[in-house]
Amino acid sequence: MTMKSVAQASATVDDTHSRQTRKRIVHRRAWGSWIFAGVVLGLLVAIVDAAVSAHVVDASVFANYLFSRKILEGAGNSLLLGTVALFAAGAVGLIAALMRVSGNPVLATLSSVYVYLFRGTPMLIQLIFWFNAFPLMFPQLHVAIPFTDHVLIDGPMTEVVTPWIAALIGLSLAEGAYMAEIIRAGLRAVDTGQRDAACALGMRRGQILYRVVIPQAARIILPAAGNQYILLLKSTSLASAIGYLELLRVTTDIYSANFRVVELLCVAGFWYLVMTAFATALQMLLERLYPHR
């Protein structure tokens, strides 16, 4: 037998052996998840069918109010309030977070108490409290330029603390407590080696904080801050309790007159979805422009 024949025979034996020993990979069927998906779809179809059969929503009424002037003004007020409150809450949260990590026991304690109080009480209670407490604590507001006779504000507090101001203060302080913990986590997440390197270069503590730590922490907290913005936009509906003409308050005033409750609530829900879609798109854009790594 020649060498070529021996090689061919060996190759044939190896190929036969590999085919015999090769095992077929069989993926297990995830029957449980498919059954659960079928049950969920069945329930969804049943709910939609019940809603259609009962004529819960009149499409003509929904379409009539969807782009009405009052509804659009209410949606704009909600978006404005939520956006301004987010920036104010970010500033409050940054100050509280810096107090918490400052190493000063007094500042850290004050920050902890603030976070505990404003995270531990419902936001609705806080809004109603500020709307009613400020006129009682400060009946008259007088603000003048020091050492001059020029008066900036002089009037009763009831005229100064409007529903807009009370809603802004309440939402900003309440959301600031959540932002304080988010920012604190972001500050802690920055590698200590960054601080040590900056300190070795001769940078002062304030320079290290604002030039090294905060820019990196901002990228880390961006996803969480985006989620809080979405929650804050929906929380503006609580301002209806103190008379601010946001989306839910306008919707409530309309259906109190025409009794088309479900249709008007669907209109409000649609515009809340639009606002949260805007916030989500903005969050994704910022995350793409300023990635964590």
Side-chain angles (χ1 to χ4, degrees):
M1 184 179 292
T2 63
M3 294 294 294
K4 183 177 181 180
S5 299
V6 173
Q8 290 177 348
S10 177
T12 303
V13 172
D14 291 342
D15 184 61
T16 304
H17 179 71
S18 63
R19 286 200 303 267
Q20 293 176 349
T21 57
R22 188 181 301 154
K23 296 181 179 180
R24 181 185 176 188
I25 299 176
V26 179
H27 296 282
R28 298 182 61 183
R29 302 290 184 182
W31 296 111
S33 61
W34 283 105
I35 293 174
F36 181 72
V39 172
V40 173
L41 288 177
L43 291 175
L44 181 61
V45 170
I47 293 173
V48 172
D49 180 67
V52 173
S53 301
H55 302 286
V56 174
V57 178
D58 189 334
S60 61
V61 176
F62 176 82
N64 184 41
Y65 285 99
L66 187 59
F67 296 101
S68 67
R69 182 179 60 84
K70 290 184 178 181
I71 293 293
L72 293 179
E73 289 179 354
N77 290 339
S78 295
L79 183 62
L80 177 64
L81 177 60
T83 303
V84 176
L86 177 70
F87 285 101
V92 173
L94 177 61
I95 295 173
L98 293 177
M99 292 170 59
R100 190 78 175 271
V101 301
S102 64
N104 186 307
V106 177
L107 295 179
T109 301
L110 291 175
S111 176
S112 300
V113 171
Y114 159 71
V115 171
Y116 172 74
L117 289 177
F118 283 85
R119 286 201 309 175
T121 53
M123 194 176 294
L124 180 59
I125 293 178
Q126 297 179 36
L127 290 176
I128 298 174
F129 174 82
W130 293 117
F131 184 65
N132 292 276
F134 264 118
L136 295 177
M137 293 187 296
F138 308 101
Q140 191 74 14
L141 182 63
H142 181 82
V143 179
I145 298 177
F147 310 109
T148 65
D149 296 331
H150 187 69
V151 178
L152 298 177
I153 301 176
D154 187 14
M157 184 63 74
T158 53
E159 296 181 1
V160 177
V161 182
T162 61
W164 154 258
I165 296 296
L168 180 61
I169 293 174
L171 291 177
S172 300
L173 291 177
E175 185 62 28
Y178 294 95
M179 290 298 298
E181 292 299 282
I182 293 174
I183 295 174
R184 183 173 70 91
L187 296 176
R188 294 295 190 188
V190 177
D191 188 8
T192 55
Q194 301 282 337
R195 298 180 177 87
D196 296 337
C199 185
L201 293 175
M203 297 179 66
R204 296 188 298 272
R205 185 175 180 179
Q207 291 177 320
I208 295 173
L209 182 64
Y210 292 105
R211 294 186 180 183
V212 178
V213 178
I214 291 182
Q216 297 184 67
R219 296 172 179 262
I220 297 173
I221 69 174
L222 189 57
N227 291 335
Q228 291 301 121
Y229 182 35
I230 293 174
L231 291 174
L232 192 56
L233 286 175
K234 294 183 292 184
S235 297
T236 56
S237 60
L238 299 175
S240 61
I242 58 176
Y244 179 62
L245 293 178
E246 46 74 50
L247 179 57
L248 183 60
R249 180 56 184 255
V250 172
T251 303
T252 305
D253 291 343
I254 295 175
Y255 73 62
S256 297
N258 62 11
F259 303 104
R260 309 301 303 211
V261 179
V262 178
E263 288 84 354
L264 268 300
L265 289 179
C266 288
V267 170
F270 172 82
W271 284 112
Y272 279 118
L273 288 174
V274 171
M275 288 188 286
T276 54
F278 162 76
T280 302
L282 180 61
Q283 176 186 347
M284 295 175 62
L285 176 62
L286 292 176
E287 289 181 10
R288 191 177 297 113
L289 293 176
Y290 304 102
H292 176 33
R293 296 296 182 187

